[in-house]
Every structure is written in C-alpha cells, then in structure tokens.
Amino acid sequence: MNNSHYDLVIIGAGMVGACLASLLSRSGFSVALVEAREPRPFDSKDDVGLRVSAISPGSAAILEQAAAWKAVNASRNRPYRRMQVEDGVESDPLLFDAPAFNMERLGTIVENALLQWSLWQVVGSGGLVDVYCPDQLDRIEFGDNSNHVYLQSGKVVAATLVVGADGAVSGVRKALGIRQDHFSYNQQGLVAVVRKQKPNPGVAWQRFLSGGPLAFLPLEDGRSSIVWTQPSDQAERLMKLDAEAFNEELDRASEGWLGQVESCGPRAAFPLSMRLSECYASKRTVLIGDAAHVVHPLAGQGVNLGFADAAALAESLIRVRLAGGDIGSAKVLQGYDRYRRSESEAMAFGMHALRSLFSIDALSPARRIGLAVVKRSWTIRDLFLQRAAGVGKNAPRLATGASLRDLMQA
Ligand SMILES: Cc1cc2nc3c(=O)[nH]c(=O)nc-3n(C[C@H](O)[C@H](O)[C@H](O)COP(=O)(O)OP(=O)(O)OC[C@H]3O[C@@H](n4cnc5c(N)ncnc54)[C@H](O)[C@@H]3O)c2cc1C
C-alpha cells in the first residue's frame, strides 16, 4: 500500500496504537502508523525487562484478533490463577481464584517489550500498514472531510480519521486543545525483578502498606516482577540504597511471602498520576490509551483499558463502514467518546477509591468495614473480577470471544 490519503492515521505505535493498527488493517481499512522510535527486537536470551503488564483475558482475546497473541504465548510469559490481597494488618488475605469465577486464568504477566515487539512485527510485515518510522507528529490541519497530518520529516498524510495513541503527554490531544484533569499522587512505582527463597507459584500477590501497595507478579522462571508504590521521597531513598540494604527493606515489607529475598536486579521508579481528558474525540480525531487516560497502576489496568479502547473503536468503525457511513462523523466520535470515557472514569475513580481506602489508618472502622464487606460479598468480588478481567457487561465484543470476521459479517 502506498498512498498519502488513508482511512486512518494513527500517531504512536506503543502497545495500544500498534494493536489498533493491526485490528483495522486486518478489517480492510487503509492505515498509516507514525512512530518516533522503532522498538528494540525482543530476545528471550536477554534478562526479563523491568516493565511488565498483567494482561487480562479480555485483552488477550483482543490481541489474538490483532494476530499478536500467538507470538506472545509462544515466548516468555506467566499466567496466574490466583490473586492474593493483604492489608498488612488482618491475617487472612482476600483471595481470588480463577476456578471459583469459572475462569481458566486471571491474567498473564508479559514483558512490555515482548508485547510491543510482537505487535510491531505484525504491523511492520505483510504490507497492510504504511509505517512512518522514525518520524513524529508536527501539526494537524483539521478539515471538514479529512485531516492533514504534517510530520517532522516534511511528509504530509491525509486521513478521514486521525487517532492519537501517543501516550500520556499526547501531542494529538494538545493539537485538539482538549483539557485534562491531572492529579499527581506524589508517589512513584518502583519496579525490579526479585528472586525469593521459594519460587512464585503463579500468584499475583499484593500487600497494602502504609506508604502504598507492594505487588509481586509471577515470572516464568519463578522470580517475581515487583511494583512497590511509595511516596516520592521514600522511593528516591529506596533507589539510592545498596543491594543489601534494599533487600532488607523489601524483606520487611514482604515478610511471610515466599521466604527471604535472595537477589534483586536493577531498579527503576516511575512517577504515578491520574490523568483524565475532558473528552476523547473531536474534529475527526480520537484519543486512545494513555493519550486519553492514565490510571493508578495498583490493579494493573492501564494498558488493558487502552486495548479495550482500540477494540471498541475498531468495532464501531467496522459497523459504520458496513452501513456505508462516514467513519469520522461527529455521531461516530460522540458514541466512542461517551462509551470509553465512562468506562475509564469508572476504573480511574475505582482505583482512586481503593487507594484511598487502604491509605487511611489500618485500624480505622471505615477501612475495616470496607474490607469486611468486600471479603464477604461474592457479588462485589465477581463484579470486581469481571472488570479486572476485561470481560464485564460493557466489554467490547472482541474481548469476549467475537472475531473480526464475526464483526465484518454482522
Ligand atoms: C509502574 C507501572 C506499572 C504498570 N503496570 C501495568 C500493568 O500491570 N497492566 C496494565 O494494564 N498497565 C500497567 N501500567 C500502565 C501501562 O504501562 C500504560 O497504560 C501503557 O504503557 C500505555 O500504552 P500506550 O500505547 O497508550 O502509550 P505509550 O506506551 O506511552 O506509547 C506511546 C507511543 O507513541 C510514540 N509517540 C509519542 N509521541 C509521538 C509523536 N509526536 N510522534 C510519533 N510517535 C509518538 C511513543 O514513542 C510511544 O511508542 C503500568 C504503568 C506503570 C507506570
């Protein structure tokens, strides 16, 4: 394919943008994908990367339709069937077991580098997507029937619909002039790969501590990828500790779980924030993934929300195309905006409430009553799990078993 007018131009080939490019190109749309940096090839001989994601079953189904899940599944990943949540005070943890909810697995821990590389391979080969890389968005000229995207290389591409998948500091959102609520948690997520005395048996474990949650996510070789949320000053202090002192602190924080820390690899820390855009679509342009919303990582939902955005948008555009409509019309954009904004705001505020519940004094009646209700109520746990698994009642059809072919025949 080689033209400069496309059905869609997607800015950003992170996990979310590349997933959308694959879904839409495989559904017959002409797609251009613009990316600033080509991802590094994934090599399973390298050690496990510091950035991993808990991929929900719903996202795995979407990635299967994007033709990327097979490669992910054949490489380094670790499914988990149990989620164990502790509050650091009560002795009995809150358990979520996949079979109790009629699920085969609750999710799969996958390195971001593997996901991104698998998607990049799909969109970069096969000739279905025109990839502009390395290149960057310079500006967008908005028009009534199409938009013109000017790239820093001097190239210009026109499209019926422009998609901003360019991450939290989105240039597309800026070009649209969309306002965003930005709440900094004044916390950082410290990540590292850790070996404990006993191998991780395939459990996503999380303990809520006074500074924030500490998660151990299982890896294929029995190690765990940790995300340790801490107030920024504490995270900076932990980053500066030598290995022995750091391991001692981690031991204290994770006492009783898989024995002592045996080793810990390099550490990195990321500032945490919640960002909610006041609208996700305008002027023949939509936002997906972190460009539209950023949520606290305590339930590992950020990229899962992004995959659901990509699936929802693909479904809507396929429907419109089948009916002979305009994929960039205001009506189509409003439908996407309403649906995805309500879903991600519900998730963002849910994470916010959970974080607030666990940040209040451990002995406070509000916290104890809140936790007791969650522990006893199967309905609440079921609802929580369905949402976390990406298969709740408002999930896109591609997340719950429909194929692109099903959608195109509808
Ligand atoms: C500590 C931590 C742990 C996390 N754990 C999880 C988890 O377990 N599960 C989960 O679901 N989420 C998790 N998240 C969130 C998740 O990492 C993000 O939601 C996800 O990476 C967002 O992907 P994206 O494709 O939307 O954006 P990005 O990954 O930011 O990709 C944007 C892409 O756009 C490109 N780009 C940017 N600007 C331009 C431009 N002007 N022109 C061209 N290209 C451009 C960039 O190069 C990049 O490739 C976590 C986040 C943190 C901080």
Side-chain angles (χ1 to χ4, degrees):
M1 193 189 299
N2 195 9
N3 56 27
S4 57
H5 189 288
Y6 298 87
D7 291 324
L8 293 108
V9 176
I10 302 170
I11 313 294
M15 296 183 276
V16 175
C19 176
L20 179 69
S22 176
L23 291 174
L24 287 173
S25 62
R26 292 163 64 77
S27 310
F29 290 86
S30 59
V31 178
L33 182 61
V34 181
E35 169 56 45
R37 281 181 304 273
E38 184 164 340
R40 263 189 58 202
F42 178 82
D43 186 345
S44 57
K45 289 202 265 327
D46 294 341
D47 195 12
V48 176
L50 283 179
R51 295 298 302 269
V52 305
S53 296
I55 297 300
S56 70
S59 293
I62 294 167
L63 287 163
E64 195 160 334
Q65 291 308 307
W69 190 246
K70 207 168 157 198
V72 170
N73 225 5
S75 188
R76 197 162 54 195
N77 69 77
R78 182 83 191 263
Y80 59 96
R81 296 185 175 76
R82 167 174 278 192
M83 220 155 72
Q84 177 166 335
V85 182
E86 300 181 1
D87 73 348
V89 177
E90 305 238 350
S91 53
D92 57 326
L94 183 56
L95 294 178
F96 297 90
D97 282 310
F101 297 92
N102 289 323
M103 290 167 78
E104 188 251 319
R105 59 174 72 175
L106 299 180
T108 310
I109 305 300
V110 185
E111 287 159 74
N112 289 7
L114 169 59
L115 272 170
Q116 197 163 1
W117 181 243
S118 306
L119 284 160
W120 184 256
Q121 298 273 85
V122 173
V123 293
S125 58
L128 288 179
V129 178
D130 278 356
V131 178
Y132 294 78
C133 177
D135 212 335
Q136 289 197 48
L137 170 71
D138 183 27
R139 66 189 174 88
I140 307 175
E141 208 172 83
F142 300 101
D144 288 340
N145 300 312
S146 64
N147 291 337
H148 286 79
V149 175
Y150 292 78
L151 303 181
Q152 286 190 357
S153 60
K155 292 179 184 147
V156 184
V157 276
T160 310
L161 184 65
V162 174
V163 180
D166 48 348
V169 200
S170 165
V172 176
R173 189 184 62 238
K174 203 167 156 208
L176 284 170
I178 291 179
R179 203 182 60 80
Q180 198 180 52
D181 288 322
H182 182 192
F183 179 84
S184 166
Y185 287 106
N186 195 21
Q187 286 180 324
Q188 295 188 18
L190 190 155
V191 296
V193 175
V194 172
R195 185 181 297 286
K196 281 223 162 194
Q197 270 172 329
K198 291 184 215 153
N200 189 319
V203 174
W205 177 92
Q206 182 145 240
R207 178 177 285 165
F208 283 84
L209 299 159
S210 56
L214 166 63
F216 273 66
L217 306 172
L219 298 173
E220 199 179 59
D221 61 3
R223 289 183 294 169
S224 303
S225 174
I226 66 158
V227 184
W228 194 355
T229 303
Q230 284 279 346
S232 295
D233 55 343
Q234 287 301 315
E236 279 154 23
R237 184 184 65 77
L238 286 170
M239 284 297 291
K240 286 187 197 135
L241 292 181
D242 64 27
E244 198 183 332
F246 179 80
N247 291 358
E248 269 173 26
E249 294 227 14
L250 185 57
D251 259 335
R252 268 198 295 281
S254 59
E255 209 178 335
W257 170 244
L258 304 177
Q260 285 192 308
V261 174
E262 282 197 335
S263 64
C264 174
R267 299 160 234 158
F270 300 91
L272 304 181
S273 60
M274 176 170 81
R275 290 167 178 262
L276 294 173
S277 306
E278 66 176 347
C279 122
Y280 292 2
S282 167
K283 303 182 194 164
R284 293 190 170 272
T285 306
V286 300
L287 302 175
I288 64 172
D290 274 19
H293 44 71
V294 174
V295 300
H296 196 288
L298 71 84
Q301 285 302 316
V303 80
N304 288 304
L305 275 176
F307 288 138
D309 291 344
L313 184 61
E315 286 175 29
S316 155
L317 301 188
I318 291 169
R319 223 173 19 245
V320 173
R321 175 64 53 95
L322 281 177
D326 171 6
I327 60 168
S329 71
K331 191 166 164 234
V332 173
L333 268 53
Q334 276 160 13
Y336 168 80
D337 174 46
R338 259 200 308 272
Y339 170 25
R340 292 316 301 165
R341 202 150 44 84
S342 66
E343 286 297 295
S344 22
E345 284 175 2
M347 182 63 78
F349 289 125
M351 295 305 98
H352 200 67
L354 212 56
R355 181 192 157 274
S356 308
L357 177 68
F358 281 102
S359 7
I360 56 182
D361 177 6
L363 298 174
S364 119
R367 170 161 155 173
R368 299 184 70 182
I369 292 167
L371 283 176
V373 169
V374 177
K375 268 186 192 164
R376 280 197 218 114
S377 166
W378 276 91
T379 315
I380 294 180
R381 284 157 71 178
D382 202 28
L383 276 175
F384 173 79
L385 210 76
Q386 280 193 24
R387 278 225 166 225
V391 295
K393 86 174 163 31
N394 290 332
R397 289 182 61 200
L398 290 172
T400 55
S403 65
L404 286 174
R405 184 184 297 228
D406 293 336
L407 300 181
M408 287 187 284
Q409 284 169 351

